Amino acid sequence: MAVAAAPKRQDTRKFFENLSGAGKSIAVLTSGGDAQGMNAAVRAAVRMGLYVGAKVFFIHEGYQGMVDGGDNIEEASWESVSSMLQVGGTVIGSARCKEFRSHEGRLKAAHNLVKRSITNLCVIGGDGSLTGANLFREEWSSLLDELLQKGLIDQEATRANSELHIVGMVGSIDNDFCGTDMTIGTDSALHRIIEVVDAIMTTAQSHQRTFVLEVMGRHCGYLALVSALACGADWVFIPEMPPEDGWEDNMCQKLSENRADKKRLNIIIVAEGAIDGHNKSITPDYIKELVVRCLGFDTRVTILGHVQRGGTPSAFDRILASRMGVEAVLALLEASANTPACVVSLVGNQAVRLPLMECVQMTQEVQKAMDEKKFEEAVRLRGRSFENNLRTYRLLSYRKADSELPNSSFNVAVLNVGAPAAGMNAAVRSAVRVGITEGHKMFSVSDGFEGFYKGQIKEIKWGDVGGWTGQGGSLLGTKRTLPGKHLDKIAEQMRIHNINALLVIGGFEAYVGLLELSSARDKYDEFCVPMVMVPATVSNNIPGSDLSIGSDTALNAITDTCDRIKQSASGTKRRVFIIETMGGYCGYLATVGGLAAGADAVYIYEEPFDIRDLQVRDQSLSKRFLFEHLVAHHAHPDLSLRRGQAAQTGLLITSELHH
């Protein structure tokens, strides 16, 4: 989601202007379990529909509202979705409807839609909700014929509403839908889990306790697996990959070894659908009893429950849902009579459309594979993201005995360069442990390239990086110093420690630093080694990477602060907030932060603006009670004109945020 240059922006505008929804009616509904971010998807679908000239309707209470009709189907306006971006759950309501499962219920629903000329449905829910929508679409023609025969609609209404188009968006914290890397609500649920784990870790460490946490997910272990990876849990139980027979002894041995290594706490995460290899349920209480009986450790059980489903959506979920909502409306506008129902999915960093029923069938195949004890097949069907997370967790959590390690004479140096970014320590931990697993000797370099030429280099072991995942900043130490003036000394240190590879984790300074080292290879043989950079900067300005470590955390900080500002300003009139973000000459934080916070305008360096643009924007202020500007740090110099003008009006409160 890089910031677009001006020409690209004009092309995008031209594309949208060529789309027309005139004469079309779109209905948006949420169904099944609620998930954070659903409101962002509703907002995006409504505003995109209105932007292209279509009529847009809310259907309150999901399929129940469609069956009941009346006030449950309400026309939406631009203002009706204001201030819902940051609200959790779904403000238009969701209900599980038995009546819609019957033919008679679907007939009532069809009648209610035809009365309002609604022939485009945007359904936000799980696989059950989307399957119901597809069945409704398949029966649409026969339902219209039946309504015509009963005299409830006329021939003209039958002709005008002959086609029903369906587009789905998956809203579920479980992330159990195949075909998408992430469903709406999953990231927010992970935030809730990690917040609880961070809080539990402090009390567990104080008393040397073992905590067993049960997380949601039904028959999908995604939440358990990724939260275990994020917090460095000692053990995780997921239904897709049950532990091998004898797991009780293996787990207790690992917990005991960790305590022997002076670790003061143990964290075990259990998915609510966890099973063993014989499809027997594994419960938190059973694990607690086992640990107490075999090890005598003070053990507590925490079941998070619906806390994971509540609260405000994360920045990621707001952005994901907004992008999906726009794509869903585009899919409806472009649909023809032969277009199958589709679901908007996230693949990599792109919103794509996939055949709805193919994804539903693949999702059902996962449960079938688990029932037949084909667990490796179940993991494969969950998708690339799930497989990679499981493989990474195993690599980082299970230390091999020295006798099992491959022989290697490879020495790898790891260092942080540039400004600190949240997640740097987790990246160092991963690199160190993967390197040790491959048999390499790992070295840490303190204080970036400055520490490198000063010889601040030492070997780093597996246990040295324990507990690093949740700590912010840079535990290795980081500086912005570039290596260009100290190439002789860095080459000497590489020769002394026999460094065979460099891993640099950092921002743009790291990028430039590696370029300087690689450019000096003709002069220094020591630099003729593999060099790898891992982007870690809140600015997200490293070429070739969609997302850098730290930028998501920075976006959440921006979003949380904007939410508080908007809440405090809701009781006042005619107040303007200008929020300055970091990012240097890159407008990523401002642009995406504005999308996640629902800002009225975003000003970035990549898109120059002048006083005329600002005057046009100011004309709309008199019609609004709250106006929020996000301004990129180092934005266009004409911003000073904006500040001077706003101060004279007496309508501005300025808040500068530095993250």
Side-chain angles (χ1 to χ4, degrees), residues 546-568:
D546 286 345
L547 197 62
S548 59
I549 293 170
S551 57
D552 183 66
T553 304
L555 282 173
N556 279 297
I558 294 169
T559 304
D560 290 345
T561 304
C562 289
D563 288 349
R564 292 188 178 96
I565 289 173
K566 290 167 75 174
Q567 187 177 29
S568 70

Side-chain angles (χ1 to χ4, degrees), residues 245 259 289 331 469 476 556 617 626:
D245 291 346
R259 287 293 177 92
E289 180 188 343
T469 51
L476 289 183
N556 279 297
R617 172 57 61 184
L626 172 65

